[in-house]
Amino acid sequence: MGLLALCAVVSADAQRDDVWRTDSLQEVVVTGTGTQHLLKNAPVQTEVITSKMLRNYAGKSIEDILGGLSASFAFSEDDMGSQMQINGLGNSYILVLIDGKRIHGDVGGQNDLALIDPHNIEKIEIVKGASSALYGSDAIAGVINIITRKHEQESLLLENTTRVGSYGDLRQHNGIAWAKGKVSSYTNFQLQHSDGWQNTSVEHTEGSEPPITDSRNKTVNRHTNWQVAERLTYKPAKDIELYADGSVYWKRIYRPSGKYPHYDVKTYDLQYNNASAAVGGKWKLSDTDVITFDVDWNRHAYYYYFTATTLVEDYEKSAGTIYYPYFPYLPDQTELQSDQQRTMAQLKGVFALPYGNQLSVGAEYRYDWLKAPTRVEGGKASDWTGALYVQDEFSLIPHLNITAGLRLNQNQQFGTRLTPKVSAMWSPGQAWRIRASWSQGFKTPTTKELFYCYVRQMSGTYLYLGNTDLKPQSSNYYGLSAEYTWQHLTLTVSGYYNKLKDMITLVTIPNYQAPDQYIIKYDPVKTRQYQNMEDATTCGVDVNVRYSYKSLSAGIGYSYLDTEANQYDTTHEKMRKVTIDGMAHHKGNLFVSWDHQFSSDYRLGVGVYGRMSSKRYYQIDGDGKGYQLWRLSTTHHFGHSKKMEWRAEAGVDNIFGYVDRTPHGLHLGTTTPGRTVYVSLTVRFNQGKKITNKYKSNLNSRENEEN
């Protein structure tokens, strides 16, 4: 009701347009419609984390950045990935893009966001709500588009950033860019390492067993990952650009071993080997018309890396009999758990039509392939999806913009489906923007949800099973927002309602319902299987206030969320209402930052940031505690000579030292180890056009506008 009341007073304040300023809304965004708009004129509500916010916050990872600068996000990081959630829905419903291209990780919804180098981000665009009409599957909860820094203009750029912090935290970034004639290149290297930490030695046990008080399990395990990426760009003509890029990524998670079987005894580490390759191009037909194409391949491979001699049970079916021969894995040997590969091809065109219409049309093909010798019957599984989509942006009357889109999906196993979307923006005056949207989402089960079987040791042996009887998921999303800008202040209030049908989630089932060979082999304390809920709803309100004037920036965000799902209780054979795992009713964040140029050689920035969450609800293994965390960051620009630039950062995370001491095996509100400190140094050598006096003048002018 509060949102409707805010919309109702629009006519009473329309006459205040004379005091409206555009400074804070001049960002160009593309994610909501796939076409360029100034943020203030974007037909689809878009949240932006700007380069200035990133620079002042100085986050160590994408999880740190999103959790600290947007109230809508929650994370439950573990060895398998980031476990991200937005507006009540988890990883598998959130589409993560890098420069408009899908990130590829675990096709079970546990993306490893360490693939994204935080030092190479220009800005982040966030669109909440179903966007399947434009982006296809995985876009039911929203889209996060990571826009990277561009380096086509540097004749030679060398940059190094080294960041160190508590608990052996090391973040290393190196970049080399060069351009000669029609060819440009950027090579990026990043390395991340942490020694990990243990917030408690208490281990939760099942049944009547007393808790273990001297477990070796860590809250966050020691880990190392590195990535090398290359992008080549070639411009054979003024309006044609071609590119080729690729990357190699490696990660190792080191797990300590204790003395308690099924709890803290670990005989293998976890290792990930990723790779990617892509080619594409853009042909600018005119100032308004453009055609783009992309073909990319991605691989995400997950291994056990054995650290001690291990007897592994292998089984095979023969004439209805199951055999269990034993054979050893020796230290330094690896065993493939899953090899997930994806190939995508996309063709898109954007065209200006008469009467102010802007038409976007496109075609996509996606092929997913999964190899898992010990986890999928037959060892392999695959799936493909083809799609055609069309979108039109137009104005029926002055100050009213409409965006309408339709996507046709054809899936190998689940047939054909249409997903429409309609968005509208009304601008009754320059100070006001009222946006409304309705969109349908559609998501087919992944190959892992259908076929995968895996075991996890957490307070005992947990067995997770795929389900070939799953049905596709669909959703109807309704959103309404009001945005008001007065001078240097912007207020945004957004409400949403998302209705999901046949939502897929893990459900605890009686062990006797699981296949016999798994029960005999693993003897699990719990068996969980992917199943369709009958339906689920998420609804909430987001409020954001931003203020920026000269050297001072401040903001506050609040997110209220409620979820409900109808789930079939297999034990009692009846429906019951549950909350969606990981939901917190209340989340918030706030920040105040200030920077000042003391001299031509020194500029100081200081920021205080807070984020907080109420209790997070789970169906099993306890709820996560509420928390609030505060952060102090400082940035120091030491100016730059003709070709050199220096920047230092230092700060304190979790100033008040909060630690969640929940026993291992139960859900945590946050994994923070308490108060930590960090320092970093960036050195940049630039022999390109961007260090000229003209460029410096433009850069200073742009920074003054941001301030």
Side-chain angles (χ1 to χ4, degrees):
M1 293 301 294
L3 177 61
L4 297 177
L6 179 63
C7 298
V9 301
V10 69
S11 60
D13 286 283
Q15 67 269 25
R16 305 179 67 177
D17 295 346
D18 59 315
V19 297
W20 181 81
R21 293 176 58 93
T22 62
D23 297 7
S24 60
L25 298 173
Q26 292 303 306
E27 289 282 343
V28 176
V29 296
V30 299
T31 308
T33 62
T35 55
Q36 291 189 348
H37 294 274
L38 290 177
L39 177 60
K40 68 185 181 72
N41 294 327
V44 177
Q45 181 68 42
T46 304
E47 181 179 350
V48 177
I49 298 176
T50 66
S51 58
K52 181 181 179 182
M53 296 169 68
L54 292 168
R55 188 167 61 243
N56 291 342
Y57 187 74
K60 68 178 181 180
S61 65
I62 192 67
E63 295 94 337
D64 184 20
I65 292 167
L66 291 174
L69 294 176
S70 178
S72 301
F73 287 93
F75 292 91
S76 304
E77 298 178 60
D78 60 21
D79 289 347
M80 303 304 296
S82 302
Q83 299 287 354
M84 176 171 53
Q85 192 178 77
I86 180 173
N87 290 348
L89 297 176
N91 285 51
S92 60
Y93 301 97
I94 305 169
L95 179 61
V96 182
L97 308 173
I98 300 179
D99 293 327
K101 295 170 57 179
R102 290 169 175 260
I103 189 175
H104 180 65
D106 178 36
V107 187
Q110 298 168 324
N111 285 327
D112 183 1
L113 297 182
L115 288 162
I116 303 168
D117 184 353
H119 296 100
N120 197 38
I121 299 175
E122 177 67 23
K123 64 178 178 178
I124 302 172
E125 298 178 7
I126 304 163
V127 175
K128 300 168 187 174
S131 299
S132 295
L134 188 60
Y135 293 106
S137 190
D138 306 332
I140 285 181
V143 179
I144 304 167
N145 193 6
I146 312 294
I147 311 296
T148 61
R149 295 188 288 128
K150 303 301 182 287
H151 304 277
E152 287 85 355
Q153 299 303 316
E154 284 91 356
S155 60
L156 179 63
L157 169 71
L158 304 174
E159 56 184 2
N160 175 88
T161 298
T162 302
R163 171 182 171 134
V164 294
S166 304
Y167 298 97
D169 189 73
L170 171 65
R171 311 279 163 155
Q172 178 67 39
H173 162 82
N174 295 95
I176 303 174
W178 57 266
K180 186 175 180 60
K182 299 177 180 180
V183 179
S184 62
S185 166
Y186 182 66
T187 306
N188 180 74
F189 170 80
Q190 66 155 328
L191 178 136
Q192 302 176 8
H193 173 82
S194 173
D195 289 340
W197 57 84
Q198 186 185 57
N199 289 346
T200 179
S201 61
V202 178
E203 184 87 32
H204 170 71
T205 56
E206 291 292 329
S208 59
E209 296 182 51
I212 295 170
T213 58
D214 57 347
S215 171
R216 290 284 307 280
N217 277 332
K218 288 189 172 184
T219 305
V220 172
N221 284 322
R222 178 173 172 244
H223 58 272
T224 303
N225 60 271
W226 57 262
Q227 181 185 53
V228 178
E230 167 66 24
R231 181 180 176 91
L232 281 172
T233 303
Y234 174 59
K235 295 184 177 180
K238 178 183 177 181
D239 297 323
I240 298 177
E241 178 181 302
L242 304 174
Y243 77 87
D245 63 31
S247 68
V248 177
Y249 173 87
W250 177 90
K251 183 174 184 178
R252 175 91 172 268
I253 298 173
Y254 305 87
R255 308 196 304 167
S257 184
K259 60 182 179 180
Y260 298 101
H262 300 297
Y263 291 97
D264 65 356
V265 171
K266 307 291 191 302
T267 60
Y268 54 85
D269 294 337
L270 308 180
Q271 182 173 305
Y272 300 84
N273 293 339
N274 288 18
S276 70
V279 295
K282 177 170 63 176
W283 181 16
K284 193 173 182 180
L285 304 175
S286 67
D287 290 339
T288 56
D289 300 347
V290 64
I291 294 175
T292 61
F293 75 93
D294 301 276
V295 178
D296 62 84
W297 167 85
N298 291 267
R299 182 193 187 212
H300 174 83
Y302 162 47
Y303 297 85
Y304 286 166
Y305 184 99
F306 289 92
T307 55
T309 301
T310 305
L311 294 176
V312 178
E313 295 179 344
D314 189 18
Y315 67 92
E316 61 182 17
K317 295 180 181 179
S318 177
T321 304
I322 302 174
Y323 298 96
Y324 294 94
Y326 288 81
F327 61 93
Y329 278 97
L330 301 178
D332 298 328
Q333 284 188 311
T334 60
E335 180 189 47
L336 176 67
Q337 301 303 304
S338 68
D339 182 355
Q340 302 170 71
Q341 299 185 34
R342 184 198 69 200
T343 302
M344 286 194 68
Q346 302 176 75
L347 179 65
K348 178 183 176 181
V350 179
F351 308 99
L353 301 181
Y355 306 106
N357 288 258
Q358 188 172 37
L359 182 69
S360 300
V361 294
E364 293 181 1
Y365 176 80
R366 170 175 173 169
Y367 178 78
D368 286 293
W369 180 81
L370 168 65
K371 178 182 178 181
T374 64
R375 302 187 177 207
V376 171
E377 187 173 353
K380 297 179 182 179
S382 63
D383 186 41
W384 61 259
T385 300
L388 299 171
Y389 66 88
V390 60
Q391 175 185 274
D392 191 18
E393 302 173 53
F394 56 94
S395 296
L396 292 174
I397 59 175
H399 309 299
L400 178 63
N401 301 100
I402 306 293
T403 301
L406 183 66
R407 186 183 190 93
L408 174 65
N409 283 284
Q410 176 67 38
N411 180 264
Q412 176 185 7
Q413 301 185 62
F414 298 100
T416 304
R417 178 65 181 258
L418 285 171
T419 52
K421 177 178 181 177
V422 179
S423 299
M425 183 183 70
W426 179 40
S427 310
Q430 286 188 327
W432 282 96
R433 297 292 185 272
I434 310 297
R435 297 178 176 90
S437 63
W438 165 74
S439 55
Q440 287 191 348
F442 179 66
K443 178 175 171 56
T444 57
T446 67
T447 50
K448 293 190 72 172
E449 290 169 340
L450 290 167
F451 305 112
Y452 208 58
C453 165
Y454 67 99
V455 174
R456 186 177 181 185
Q457 299 289 346
M458 46 184 253
S459 304
T461 302
Y462 281 36
L463 175 65
Y464 294 83
L465 300 174
N467 185 355
T468 56
D469 293 328
L470 291 175
K471 296 178 287 187
Q473 305 163 90
S474 60
S475 71
N476 277 281
Y477 176 87
Y478 305 88
L480 180 64
S481 70
E483 179 180 273
Y484 180 71
T485 302
W486 181 74
Q487 293 187 346
H488 307 281
L489 182 71
T490 301
L491 167 66
T492 305
V493 181
S494 305
Y496 61 90
Y497 177 85
N498 205 356
K499 179 74 171 181
L500 288 82
K501 182 180 179 182
D502 297 321
M503 180 180 178
I504 295 174
T505 188
L506 282 167
V507 176
T508 301
I509 63 174
N511 283 343
Y512 64 79
Q513 292 189 355
D516 288 341
Q517 67 266 30
Y518 296 132
I519 301 301
I520 295 172
K521 180 179 179 182
Y522 299 114
D523 189 25
V525 297
K526 275 191 177 70
T527 300
R528 308 201 79 196
Q529 184 179 45
Y530 288 106
Q531 293 186 4
N532 291 102
M533 288 186 175
E534 293 298 314
D535 56 61
T537 59
T538 68
C539 59
V541 176
D542 294 337
V543 181
N544 282 283
V545 182
R546 295 288 184 267
Y547 176 84
S548 181
Y549 180 66
K550 293 186 177 179
S551 297
L552 180 66
S553 296
I556 184 169
Y558 169 73
S559 179
Y560 172 78
L561 169 68
D562 196 17
T563 69
E564 184 178 88
N566 291 317
Q567 181 177 294
Y568 186 71
D569 187 334
T570 54
T571 302
H572 301 94
E573 297 185 346
K574 67 178 182 179
M575 298 297 299
R576 64 188 182 102
K577 292 189 180 298
V578 298
T579 58
I580 296 176
D581 277 353
M583 183 208 74
H585 283 303
H586 309 281
K587 293 190 293 291
N589 74 304
L590 60 87
F591 71 90
V592 178
S593 65
W594 173 84
D595 61 85
H596 182 70
Q597 189 81 39
F598 285 92
S599 68
S600 60
D601 294 325
Y602 181 66
R603 181 170 185 156
L604 170 66
V606 180
V608 177
Y609 301 84
R611 56 189 173 104
M612 52 286 299
S613 173
S614 62
K615 179 172 66 175
R616 300 185 68 186
Y617 294 89
Y618 293 89
Q619 295 179 45
I620 65 169
D621 296 332
D623 297 326
K625 297 178 181 177
Y627 62 87
Q628 57 174 304
L629 306 175
W630 293 88
R631 168 193 179 96
L632 172 67
S633 68
T634 65
T635 59
H636 310 263
H637 292 267
F638 297 102
H640 50 261
S641 63
K642 186 177 180 181
K643 297 181 180 180
M644 297 294 295
E645 181 180 349
W646 296 267
R647 168 187 168 93
E649 299 166 350
V652 182
D653 279 317
N654 194 359
I655 297 172
F656 301 107
Y658 173 76
V659 179
D660 189 338
R661 305 290 185 185
T662 299
H664 297 296
L666 302 179
H667 288 293
L668 301 177
T670 174
T671 60
T672 175
R675 186 181 301 107
T676 59
V677 298
Y678 69 89
V679 294
S680 75
L681 176 65
T682 297
V683 180
R684 182 175 290 115
F685 171 83
N686 195 330
Q687 191 176 291
K689 292 187 294 185
K690 291 191 175 182
I691 51 83
T692 64
N693 290 332
K694 180 179 179 181
Y695 170 73
K696 292 178 186 177
S697 175
N698 291 339
L699 180 61
N700 291 335
S701 174
R702 185 171 64 187
E703 288 187 345
N704 288 335
E705 286 181 359
E706 287 182 336
N707 292 331

PDB file of all heavy atoms in Angstrom, residues 392-411:
ATOM      1  N   ASP A 392      10.230  -4.996 -29.078  1.00  0.00           N
ATOM      2  CA  ASP A 392      10.012  -3.674 -29.664  1.00  0.00           C
ATOM      3  C   ASP A 392       9.890  -2.643 -28.548  1.00  0.00           C
ATOM      4  O   ASP A 392       9.215  -2.881 -27.540  1.00  0.00           O
ATOM      5  CB  ASP A 392       8.735  -3.676 -30.518  1.00  0.00           C
ATOM      6  CG  ASP A 392       8.609  -2.412 -31.358  1.00  0.00           C
ATOM      7  OD1 ASP A 392       9.629  -1.715 -31.551  1.00  0.00           O
ATOM      8  OD2 ASP A 392       7.484  -2.108 -31.808  1.00  0.00           O
ATOM      9  N   GLU A 393      10.565  -1.507 -28.722  1.00  0.00           N
ATOM     10  CA  GLU A 393      10.468  -0.376 -27.798  1.00  0.00           C
ATOM     11  C   GLU A 393       9.826   0.783 -28.543  1.00  0.00           C
ATOM     12  O   GLU A 393      10.303   1.169 -29.613  1.00  0.00           O
ATOM     13  CB  GLU A 393      11.855   0.028 -27.297  1.00  0.00           C
ATOM     14  CG  GLU A 393      12.611  -1.092 -26.599  1.00  0.00           C
ATOM     15  CD  GLU A 393      14.041  -0.690 -26.281  1.00  0.00           C
ATOM     16  OE1 GLU A 393      14.237   0.367 -25.641  1.00  0.00           O
ATOM     17  OE2 GLU A 393      14.969  -1.413 -26.690  1.00  0.00           O
ATOM     18  N   PHE A 394       8.766   1.341 -27.967  1.00  0.00           N
ATOM     19  CA  PHE A 394       8.038   2.385 -28.679  1.00  0.00           C
ATOM     20  C   PHE A 394       7.290   3.256 -27.679  1.00  0.00           C
ATOM     21  O   PHE A 394       7.168   2.928 -26.497  1.00  0.00           O
ATOM     22  CB  PHE A 394       7.061   1.772 -29.677  1.00  0.00           C
ATOM     23  CG  PHE A 394       6.087   0.802 -29.071  1.00  0.00           C
ATOM     24  CD1 PHE A 394       4.821   1.219 -28.658  1.00  0.00           C
ATOM     25  CD2 PHE A 394       6.419  -0.535 -28.903  1.00  0.00           C
ATOM     26  CE1 PHE A 394       3.923   0.336 -28.088  1.00  0.00           C
ATOM     27  CE2 PHE A 394       5.526  -1.429 -28.335  1.00  0.00           C
ATOM     28  CZ  PHE A 394       4.272  -0.990 -27.925  1.00  0.00           C
ATOM     29  N   SER A 395       6.766   4.393 -28.157  1.00  0.00           N
ATOM     30  CA  SER A 395       5.974   5.324 -27.342  1.00  0.00           C
ATOM     31  C   SER A 395       4.618   5.526 -27.994  1.00  0.00           C
ATOM     32  O   SER A 395       4.532   6.036 -29.119  1.00  0.00           O
ATOM     33  CB  SER A 395       6.695   6.672 -27.209  1.00  0.00           C
ATOM     34  OG  SER A 395       7.910   6.531 -26.514  1.00  0.00           O
ATOM     35  N   LEU A 396       3.560   5.118 -27.289  1.00  0.00           N
ATOM     36  CA  LEU A 396       2.212   5.321 -27.812  1.00  0.00           C
ATOM     37  C   LEU A 396       1.787   6.771 -27.685  1.00  0.00           C
ATOM     38  O   LEU A 396       1.147   7.337 -28.581  1.00  0.00           O
ATOM     39  CB  LEU A 396       1.225   4.423 -27.059  1.00  0.00           C
ATOM     40  CG  LEU A 396       1.356   2.912 -27.289  1.00  0.00           C
ATOM     41  CD1 LEU A 396       0.405   2.159 -26.372  1.00  0.00           C
ATOM     42  CD2 LEU A 396       1.070   2.572 -28.753  1.00  0.00           C
ATOM     43  N   ILE A 397       2.139   7.382 -26.560  1.00  0.00           N
ATOM     44  CA  ILE A 397       1.823   8.778 -26.298  1.00  0.00           C
ATOM     45  C   ILE A 397       3.056   9.417 -25.675  1.00  0.00           C
ATOM     46  O   ILE A 397       3.948   8.709 -25.198  1.00  0.00           O
ATOM     47  CB  ILE A 397       0.610   8.925 -25.349  1.00  0.00           C
ATOM     48  CG1 ILE A 397       0.889   8.228 -24.007  1.00  0.00           C
ATOM     49  CG2 ILE A 397      -0.656   8.380 -25.998  1.00  0.00           C
ATOM     50  CD1 ILE A 397      -0.208   8.418 -22.982  1.00  0.00           C
ATOM     51  N   PRO A 398       3.157  10.739 -25.669  1.00  0.00           N
ATOM     52  CA  PRO A 398       4.313  11.379 -25.037  1.00  0.00           C
ATOM     53  C   PRO A 398       4.462  10.958 -23.575  1.00  0.00           C
ATOM     54  O   PRO A 398       3.479  10.767 -22.862  1.00  0.00           O
ATOM     55  CB  PRO A 398       3.993  12.875 -25.161  1.00  0.00           C
ATOM     56  CG  PRO A 398       3.096  12.969 -26.340  1.00  0.00           C
ATOM     57  CD  PRO A 398       2.262  11.719 -26.323  1.00  0.00           C
ATOM     58  N   HIS A 399       5.690  10.779 -23.174  1.00  0.00           N
ATOM     59  CA  HIS A 399       6.071  10.455 -21.793  1.00  0.00           C
ATOM     60  C   HIS A 399       5.735   9.024 -21.387  1.00  0.00           C
ATOM     61  O   HIS A 399       5.897   8.671 -20.220  1.00  0.00           O
ATOM     62  CB  HIS A 399       5.416  11.420 -20.792  1.00  0.00           C
ATOM     63  CG  HIS A 399       5.601  12.862 -21.128  1.00  0.00           C
ATOM     64  ND1 HIS A 399       6.851  13.450 -21.202  1.00  0.00           N
ATOM     65  CD2 HIS A 399       4.702  13.831 -21.426  1.00  0.00           C
ATOM     66  CE1 HIS A 399       6.711  14.718 -21.523  1.00  0.00           C
ATOM     67  NE2 HIS A 399       5.428  14.983 -21.678  1.00  0.00           N
ATOM     68  N   LEU A 400       5.255   8.195 -22.310  1.00  0.00           N
ATOM     69  CA  LEU A 400       4.961   6.798 -22.000  1.00  0.00           C
ATOM     70  C   LEU A 400       5.733   5.900 -22.952  1.00  0.00           C
ATOM     71  O   LEU A 400       5.491   5.914 -24.159  1.00  0.00           O
ATOM     72  CB  LEU A 400       3.467   6.498 -22.104  1.00  0.00           C
ATOM     73  CG  LEU A 400       3.059   5.040 -21.833  1.00  0.00           C
ATOM     74  CD1 LEU A 400       3.398   4.640 -20.398  1.00  0.00           C
ATOM     75  CD2 LEU A 400       1.579   4.823 -22.124  1.00  0.00           C
ATOM     76  N   ASN A 401       6.685   5.127 -22.411  1.00  0.00           N
ATOM     77  CA  ASN A 401       7.497   4.204 -23.200  1.00  0.00           C
ATOM     78  C   ASN A 401       7.087   2.773 -22.899  1.00  0.00           C
ATOM     79  O   ASN A 401       6.928   2.394 -21.738  1.00  0.00           O
ATOM     80  CB  ASN A 401       8.983   4.382 -22.884  1.00  0.00           C
ATOM     81  CG  ASN A 401       9.474   5.787 -23.154  1.00  0.00           C
ATOM     82  OD1 ASN A 401       9.605   6.581 -22.234  1.00  0.00           O
ATOM     83  ND2 ASN A 401       9.745   6.108 -24.407  1.00  0.00           N
ATOM     84  N   ILE A 402       6.922   1.980 -23.950  1.00  0.00           N
ATOM     85  CA  ILE A 402       6.524   0.580 -23.831  1.00  0.00           C
ATOM     86  C   ILE A 402       7.632  -0.299 -24.403  1.00  0.00           C
ATOM     87  O   ILE A 402       8.189  -0.007 -25.462  1.00  0.00           O
ATOM     88  CB  ILE A 402       5.215   0.301 -24.584  1.00  0.00           C
ATOM     89  CG1 ILE A 402       4.102   1.252 -24.133  1.00  0.00           C
ATOM     90  CG2 ILE A 402       4.792  -1.158 -24.401  1.00  0.00           C
ATOM     91  CD1 ILE A 402       3.651   1.038 -22.719  1.00  0.00           C
ATOM     92  N   THR A 403       7.939  -1.379 -23.692  1.00  0.00           N
ATOM     93  CA  THR A 403       8.843  -2.409 -24.204  1.00  0.00           C
ATOM     94  C   THR A 403       8.109  -3.736 -24.139  1.00  0.00           C
ATOM     95  O   THR A 403       7.665  -4.159 -23.066  1.00  0.00           O
ATOM     96  CB  THR A 403      10.134  -2.498 -23.370  1.00  0.00           C
ATOM     97  OG1 THR A 403      10.802  -1.233 -23.388  1.00  0.00           O
ATOM     98  CG2 THR A 403      11.068  -3.554 -23.940  1.00  0.00           C
ATOM     99  N   ALA A 404       7.955  -4.385 -25.283  1.00  0.00           N
ATOM    100  CA  ALA A 404       7.245  -5.660 -25.353  1.00  0.00           C
ATOM    101  C   ALA A 404       8.118  -6.676 -26.070  1.00  0.00           C
ATOM    102  O   ALA A 404       8.710  -6.376 -27.116  1.00  0.00           O
ATOM    103  CB  ALA A 404       5.916  -5.494 -26.087  1.00  0.00           C
ATOM    104  N   GLY A 405       8.217  -7.876 -25.494  1.00  0.00           N
ATOM    105  CA  GLY A 405       9.052  -8.908 -26.085  1.00  0.00           C
ATOM    106  C   GLY A 405       8.408 -10.273 -26.008  1.00  0.00           C
ATOM    107  O   GLY A 405       7.530 -10.528 -25.180  1.00  0.00           O
ATOM    108  N   LEU A 406       8.850 -11.174 -26.883  1.00  0.00           N
ATOM    109  CA  LEU A 406       8.332 -12.532 -26.925  1.00  0.00           C
ATOM    110  C   LEU A 406       9.466 -13.468 -27.340  1.00  0.00           C
ATOM    111  O   LEU A 406      10.222 -13.176 -28.274  1.00  0.00           O
ATOM    112  CB  LEU A 406       7.183 -12.646 -27.922  1.00  0.00           C
ATOM    113  CG  LEU A 406       6.484 -14.004 -28.022  1.00  0.00           C
ATOM    114  CD1 LEU A 406       5.763 -14.327 -26.722  1.00  0.00           C
ATOM    115  CD2 LEU A 406       5.509 -14.018 -29.191  1.00  0.00           C
ATOM    116  N   ARG A 407       9.571 -14.582 -26.628  1.00  0.00           N
ATOM    117  CA  ARG A 407      10.621 -15.561 -26.910  1.00  0.00           C
ATOM    118  C   ARG A 407       9.992 -16.922 -27.158  1.00  0.00           C
ATOM    119  O   ARG A 407       9.105 -17.350 -26.411  1.00  0.00           O
ATOM    120  CB  ARG A 407      11.603 -15.646 -25.742  1.00  0.00           C
ATOM    121  CG  ARG A 407      12.823 -16.543 -26.000  1.00  0.00           C
ATOM    122  CD  ARG A 407      13.688 -16.603 -24.747  1.00  0.00           C
ATOM    123  NE  ARG A 407      14.969 -17.249 -24.990  1.00  0.00           N
ATOM    124  CZ  ARG A 407      16.079 -16.622 -25.322  1.00  0.00           C
ATOM    125  NH1 ARG A 407      16.057 -15.298 -25.462  1.00  0.00           N
ATOM    126  NH2 ARG A 407      17.205 -17.284 -25.510  1.00  0.00           N
ATOM    127  N   LEU A 408      10.461 -17.615 -28.176  1.00  0.00           N
ATOM    128  CA  LEU A 408      10.028 -18.971 -28.488  1.00  0.00           C
ATOM    129  C   LEU A 408      11.177 -19.916 -28.176  1.00  0.00           C
ATOM    130  O   LEU A 408      12.252 -19.830 -28.776  1.00  0.00           O
ATOM    131  CB  LEU A 408       9.640 -19.089 -29.961  1.00  0.00           C
ATOM    132  CG  LEU A 408       9.300 -20.502 -30.455  1.00  0.00           C
ATOM    133  CD1 LEU A 408       8.037 -21.035 -29.768  1.00  0.00           C
ATOM    134  CD2 LEU A 408       9.138 -20.528 -31.965  1.00  0.00           C
ATOM    135  N   ASN A 409      10.976 -20.805 -27.196  1.00  0.00           N
ATOM    136  CA  ASN A 409      11.988 -21.783 -26.795  1.00  0.00           C
ATOM    137  C   ASN A 409      11.616 -23.160 -27.312  1.00  0.00           C
ATOM    138  O   ASN A 409      10.445 -23.561 -27.239  1.00  0.00           O
ATOM    139  CB  ASN A 409      12.101 -21.848 -25.268  1.00  0.00           C
ATOM    140  CG  ASN A 409      12.871 -20.695 -24.680  1.00  0.00           C
ATOM    141  OD1 ASN A 409      14.088 -20.644 -24.741  1.00  0.00           O
ATOM    142  ND2 ASN A 409      12.139 -19.744 -24.120  1.00  0.00           N
ATOM    143  N   GLN A 410      12.612 -23.898 -27.783  1.00  0.00           N
ATOM    144  CA  GLN A 410      12.428 -25.294 -28.164  1.00  0.00           C
ATOM    145  C   GLN A 410      13.500 -26.110 -27.466  1.00  0.00           C
ATOM    146  O   GLN A 410      14.691 -25.946 -27.733  1.00  0.00           O
ATOM    147  CB  GLN A 410      12.545 -25.467 -29.681  1.00  0.00           C
ATOM    148  CG  GLN A 410      12.471 -26.907 -30.165  1.00  0.00           C
ATOM    149  CD  GLN A 410      11.095 -27.536 -29.950  1.00  0.00           C
ATOM    150  OE1 GLN A 410      10.082 -26.864 -30.120  1.00  0.00           O
ATOM    151  NE2 GLN A 410      11.057 -28.807 -29.579  1.00  0.00           N
ATOM    152  N   ASN A 411      13.071 -26.974 -26.521  1.00  0.00           N
ATOM    153  CA  ASN A 411      14.008 -27.781 -25.757  1.00  0.00           C
ATOM    154  C   ASN A 411      13.926 -29.233 -26.188  1.00  0.00           C
ATOM    155  O   ASN A 411      12.848 -29.744 -26.506  1.00  0.00           O
ATOM    156  CB  ASN A 411      13.724 -27.649 -24.259  1.00  0.00           C
ATOM    157  CG  ASN A 411      14.666 -28.473 -23.406  1.00  0.00           C
ATOM    158  OD1 ASN A 411      14.352 -29.587 -23.007  1.00  0.00           O
ATOM    159  ND2 ASN A 411      15.850 -27.929 -23.137  1.00  0.00           N
TER     160      ASN A 411
END
